[in-house]
Amino acid sequence: MDNPLEPRMAYALSLGTISFLFAVIWGKPLIAFLRRNGVGKQIRIEQPGSHQLKTGTPTMGGVLFVVPVLVIIGLLNIVNLLGMDAIGQSTLLLFFCLGSHAVLGAIDDWQGIKGIRGRGEGMSPRMKSVFEFTFAAIIGLVLYYGPPQWDYVGVPTFVDYFRVGPFIVPATIIILYLTSNAVNFTDGLDSLAGSTSMVAFACYGTIAYLQDQVYLAIFCFTLVGALMGFLWYNAHPAQLIMGDAGSLPLGATLGLVSIMTGQWLLLPVIGLVFAAEALSVMIQVSYFKITKRLYGEGRRIFKMAPLHHHFELLGWSEMQVKERFFIASVLSGMLGVALALI
């Protein structure tokens, strides 16, 4: 018997190919434009010495994959609004999430380039957090009040979903904030954040397809294709660095996709690398503050946080860290999809 979803999946994968070609084709002119205008990465002095060689590499690279996705998804939604079924259900909320966080990240990158607060430092953490919480709150309210309402959660081994009611609003704020910053922490090595994000979105795209949420699968695989285009230029040695213009929208949008599939409890599994990176920072900072209060000097558990720097200082090469973290992301992603099917 024919599966009515198969043409839709072919459609989603085809759009991923188109977004890849879009990103690759406009990648070179974008890099040339960024170089010409001095949009180069500033490396903080506390990072490992090998990273100082990356100073001046064009940043704001997230624009390379964000723009193709916004253009393609925007056009599909316009066609939808005109009464033709181009994507199924609206994905304008995902469009807003990706676009708003990309703008915020780009402003942060620009301030870091200009050195407004110091070398390599962009917007103040407090100001950035205010915007992140505001965007997440808007999204959470839309999810709850709809239409349609996305106030549910799936739990592995349970067939039915559970309604969480208004709790979805604070849950959305927490998930989007934590995930956007977790991906931001991961963006420290060539192709690390891009490749692990690609795996996570492919996993959630698969889950969405299996749950008949074809519109989400289309969005996810369009983004996967654009990320592949970005990785074409971000492969070691990177010609382009993602920056906050890419990491913030990737993290926030990944969190939103997890909520819209109802599988947000699986986010720490599918996004295991992101969770580990963020946890390493929280542990390092907390332990340093506690030991400073107790002993008069701060102590550290990791050689450096986020976690990828710890392994670099243990002697792993940049590419060894990236490849091993990528393998971990694939395995944890496979486990996450499996748990979603139970």
Side-chain angles (χ1 to χ4, degrees):
M1 183 179 292
D2 292 336
N3 185 345
L5 290 177
E6 285 178 2
R8 286 293 196 173
M9 190 58 172
Y11 182 39
L13 296 175
S14 298
L15 286 173
T17 303
I18 292 170
S19 65
F20 165 78
L21 294 173
F22 190 150
V24 168
I25 289 170
W26 95 293
K28 280 196 174 181
L30 173 64
I31 292 170
F33 172 82
L34 294 174
R35 286 189 182 280
R36 193 163 55 247
N37 289 276
V39 185
K41 176 69 175 177
Q42 299 298 311
I43 305 297
R44 294 193 296 270
I45 57 175
E46 68 269 17
Q47 289 187 281
S50 61
H51 288 251
Q52 303 305 319
L53 299 173
K54 300 181 182 182
T55 300
T57 303
T59 187
M60 282 196 202
V63 174
L64 189 148
F65 59 81
V66 168
V67 168
V69 176
L70 292 181
V71 169
I72 293 171
I73 296 300
L75 289 173
L76 292 176
N77 277 280
I78 290 172
V79 172
N80 239 42
L81 291 172
L82 293 174
M84 294 174 279
D85 184 10
I87 194 172
Q89 196 163 312
S90 171
T91 53
L92 288 176
L93 191 60
L94 288 159
F95 183 96
F96 169 76
C97 183
L98 188 70
S100 61
H101 284 83
V103 171
L104 176 63
I107 293 172
D108 188 34
D109 286 337
W110 181 255
Q111 292 191 2
I113 292 162
K114 293 301 178 182
I116 293 174
R117 297 179 56 245
R119 189 183 184 202
E121 294 186 21
M123 190 182 297
S124 72
R126 179 175 296 178
M127 180 61 69
K128 187 160 63 172
S129 294
V130 167
F131 281 104
E132 287 179 291
F133 279 120
T134 301
F135 294 150
I138 293 170
I139 292 168
L141 290 169
V142 173
L143 287 173
Y144 178 61
Y145 288 104
Q149 278 185 301
W150 270 290
D151 60 335
Y152 55 88
V153 61
V155 179
T157 73
F158 287 87
V159 176
D160 296 326
Y161 286 85
F162 297 90
R163 306 303 292 238
V164 295
F167 177 73
I168 197 64
V169 178
T172 298
I173 294 172
I174 293 169
I175 291 169
L176 266 61
Y177 179 78
L178 291 179
T179 312
S180 63
N181 284 282
V183 176
N184 186 238
F185 289 138
T186 308
D187 181 31
L189 302 179
D190 293 348
S191 75
L192 177 58
S195 61
T196 48
S197 295
M198 180 184 69
V199 171
F201 277 103
C203 289
Y204 270 112
T206 302
I207 291 171
Y209 170 73
L210 294 173
Q211 294 181 168
D212 296 348
Q213 294 175 295
V214 180
Y215 57 98
L216 279 181
I218 289 172
F219 179 89
C220 287
F221 284 107
T222 300
L223 185 48
V224 167
L227 279 170
M228 289 181 178
F230 169 75
L231 291 170
W232 187 271
Y233 297 104
N234 188 236
H236 185 74
Q239 298 172 258
L240 185 70
I241 292 174
M242 181 182 293
D244 283 16
S247 59
L248 292 184
L250 276 181
T253 308
L254 178 63
L256 180 54
V257 167
S258 75
I259 294 169
M260 293 176 75
T261 58
Q263 300 292 350
W264 40 278
L265 292 181
L266 294 177
L267 190 54
V269 179
I270 293 175
L272 177 66
V273 169
F274 307 135
E277 295 272 28
L279 195 59
S280 70
V281 173
M282 289 189 284
I283 291 172
Q284 187 88 322
V285 171
S286 299
Y287 187 72
F288 185 88
K289 288 181 178 179
I290 292 170
T291 52
K292 187 173 184 179
R293 189 175 302 152
L294 292 175
Y295 307 112
E297 62 175 7
R299 300 176 183 178
R300 296 172 174 82
I301 292 178
F302 303 103
K303 290 180 177 293
M304 185 179 288
L307 192 60
H308 55 263
H309 289 323
H310 172 77
F311 285 104
E312 280 189 290
L313 294 176
L314 284 178
W316 292 17
S317 70
E318 181 171 349
M319 288 310 296
Q320 282 179 317
V321 177
K322 179 264 167 179
E323 292 297 335
R324 288 168 180 171
F325 277 38
F326 174 71
I327 291 169
S329 72
V330 172
L331 291 172
S332 61
M334 290 166 57
L335 176 60
V337 174
L339 289 172
L341 297 176
I342 295 176

